[in-house]
Amino acid sequence: MDGPLRTLIVMDQEADSLPLEQALRPGWHTIKVERVSSPAGLGSVLDWGTWEVVLFDCATPNFSVENALGMLQKSAPETPLIVLAGRAQEDRVVAAMRAGACDYVLKDDLRRLLPVVRREFRDAERQSNYRQTVRDLREQIADLEAGNLALQAQQALLESQRLELVEANEALEESRCTIQAGNRELAALNQQLEESIMRANELAGTAEVASHAKSEFLANMSHEIRTPMTAILGFSEIVQDDLKKCGDCPEHFNCPQQAGRLEAVDMIQRNGNYLLGIINDILDLSKIESGKLEVECIPCSPIDTNNHVRTLARARAEPKGLSFDIEYVGPIPERIYTDPTRLRQILINLLGNAIKFTETGGVRLITRFVDRDEANPQMQFDVVDTGIGMTEEQADKAFEPFAQADSSTTRRFGGTGLGLSISKRLAELLGGDVELVDTKADMGTRLRLTVDAGDLSGVQFLESPMKVALDRRNATREPAAPAGSKKLECRVLLVEDSPDNQRLISLILEKAGADVLIAENGQMAVETVQAAMFGRRENDPKYPFDIVLMDMQMPVMDGYEATTRLRDEGYWGTIIALTAHAMATDREKCISVGCDDYVSKPINTKTFIETLSRHLGSSVVA
């Protein structure tokens, strides 16, 4: 045999087991033998091993073959037991065979042992195979029965699902009919939606055209109003200067007519500037509503800003007998990062309103820095007045455009009602707000402006801001330079289509010492500059014009096209744009076509001359 023969020998004498091993060895290459001599030993080896054959010696004391067979039936019922006996032990052999032993071998005839073991071994294998086959068949039968049960359950499930499917098909058919009806309704709704979208697109297009037309209208109205305003304010300023000079002459001292004329010119100036302020407010509101108003974020000094608005506020407050004071609460940063122009505009609006609606008492501007330790530091400006105040109903409408407290207030105090609305929207663009903190009818009002202060890393905080404000105010109190102390030695080509503005600007330039030549439109300007560039006129050197003042809206050829033509033809002299437009993109548009600078109408004489002086440099003499 190939494998080892695991043999368990129950025998009390170990020497008697050696002949058994020798008798079995011819049949197996390897024989594994374990010998026991007691029931306890047999139980132990049956627990930890399996055996092909058990050889039981009937002569083993205190251990009967019946006991051995009983133990074997419990632990290894398939293992064959062969009895070993002497010839005188025939009764024991019979008892063993009756008890269930497979066979017996006489100790004095061990030649029969190997065939018996072989037979029992083969029988045991067949029995084992048979039993395994039976077990397999039983398992297969059990599997088939389980499968049959599962199949029956599956069939029942399929039948249930079939019934559900029938019901689902019926429901699906109903749903299909419902969906078809819904699709018809949806198609009708889609048609209505498409028509609505088309109408909405048409309305949006109309609104866009209207918005564009509004912007164009405001720009044109700005130009049309500012152009005559330039002449009105400019000539009134000249007349005002002349009257003041005449008033210094001895023959005009205490002349009532002279005083009346000067008062009339002052009223022209005051009302002209008031009208210009209204125009600017309307343009600002339009730009804010269209999202076209841009703000800067540059360094500026809160103290310098306050000093600037103090001058303007005191000029309005003193004629009414009102006090005006600026107060600082706590340390103030040396500089913040915001749009200084818009900040001044808001403060002037708020202070102007406070002064306008205050008849007795005064106005205070209280400045403080808030959220010093937070990531979003802000400056806070409180405008406090002792004026007419507002009722609760009036306060609710305070920030609505074109709204004032009531119609009687409008008649009594005047104004468009745009100041607070514009100020609030500008403050929001600067990262802050304008809030109505407190107001009571006939008790005054407290408005609060906040703006983002920007990144203040490394910025010094002034512990005594009032002292710094006074020092700076005193430092700027220098006597004004007398008119005409500086002269412009230059030639200027004035390109302007309005005869009144031609006369005004020429007069301003000539009084400042400039030599002025006039061109009525862009085409004439191009031809004049070309003639000068190439020396086509006798005694004219190249580039005879130190500055070209170019109005941007003219007939025949406007200033944009004329400037572009001149730059394309190689003229790189100074060109300064003159325009009555005041929209946010006007300056950029002028610079983009080749202008070096920009002056808006109505012209401020001082700013105008300073702009020319800056570009002339060494051509300005004292």
Side-chain angles (χ1 to χ4, degrees), residues 379-393:
M379 287 300 302
Q380 187 180 95
F381 303 85
D382 283 9
V383 176
V384 185
D385 66 62
T386 58
I388 63 173
M390 287 179 275
T391 65
E392 185 176 346
E393 181 181 357

Side-chain angles (χ1 to χ4, degrees), residues 314-497:
R314 287 175 67 89
R316 296 183 185 181
E318 288 175 353
K320 297 182 68 174
L322 303 175
S323 64
F324 176 74
D325 297 297
I326 295 179
E327 302 173 12
Y328 294 94
V329 178
I332 301 296
E334 169 67 23
R335 66 179 181 275
I336 61 174
Y337 293 86
T338 186
D339 189 323
T341 302
R342 295 303 178 183
L343 177 57
R344 285 194 298 269
Q345 180 181 352
I346 299 170
L347 289 173
I348 290 169
N349 272 347
L350 298 181
L351 292 170
N353 257 16
I355 293 169
K356 180 169 68 173
F357 293 111
T358 301
E359 296 182 326
T360 61
V363 176
R364 292 182 296 151
L365 175 60
I366 304 172
T367 304
R368 61 170 56 86
F369 177 74
V370 294
D371 296 334
R372 187 170 183 176
D373 297 326
E374 299 294 331
N376 185 31
Q378 291 189 321
M379 287 300 302
Q380 187 180 95
F381 303 85
D382 283 9
V383 176
V384 185
D385 66 62
T386 58
I388 63 173
M390 287 179 275
T391 65
E392 185 176 346
E393 181 181 357
Q394 292 167 347
D396 291 338
K397 300 178 180 179
F399 295 103
E400 295 179 7
F402 306 105
Q404 283 194 341
D406 54 37
S407 58
S408 64
T409 303
T410 304
R411 287 196 298 270
R412 183 179 173 191
F413 293 98
T416 61
L418 287 174
L420 287 181
S421 174
I422 291 174
S423 297
K424 184 176 182 65
R425 299 191 189 191
L426 287 175
E428 290 169 352
L429 290 174
L430 298 182
D433 198 3
V434 174
E435 302 170 273
L436 184 57
V437 178
D438 185 36
T439 185
K440 291 181 181 178
D442 301 321
M443 297 291 289
T445 299
R446 187 186 194 104
L447 286 165
R448 175 166 294 164
L449 163 67
T450 55
V451 296
D452 279 349
D455 183 5
L456 300 184
S457 301
V459 175
Q460 178 185 359
F461 278 75
L462 305 175
E463 299 295 333
S464 303
M466 182 61 75
K467 181 178 181 303
V468 174
L470 290 172
D471 291 344
R472 291 184 183 178
R473 201 180 303 156
N474 293 331
T476 57
R477 287 177 180 169
E478 298 177 357
S485 61
K486 291 185 178 181
K487 292 292 183 181
L488 303 177
E489 290 189 350
C490 63
R491 295 193 66 195
V492 178
L493 175 61
L494 173 60
V495 189
E496 170 65 62
D497 63 313

Side-chain angles (χ1 to χ4, degrees), residues 16 34 69 94-95 106 108 126 144 204 221 229 258 289 304 319 321 327 369 389 401 429 446 500 543 556 570 616:
D16 292 341
E34 184 70 27
L69 285 169
V94 173
L106 297 176
D108 57 1
R126 284 194 297 269
L144 288 173
M221 286 302 296
M229 286 299 296
Q258 187 74 2
E289 289 179 343
D304 291 344
E327 302 173 12
F369 177 74
L429 290 174
R446 187 186 194 104
D500 292 337
Y543 305 102
V556 183
L616 288 170

Side-chain angles (χ1 to χ4, degrees), residues 9 93 123 144 159 211 283 322 327 381 432 446 480 526 572 577:
I9 299 174
V93 172
D123 289 346
L144 288 173
E159 179 63 19
S211 177
L283 288 173
L322 303 175
E327 302 173 12
F381 303 85
R446 187 186 194 104
V526 172
W572 294 108

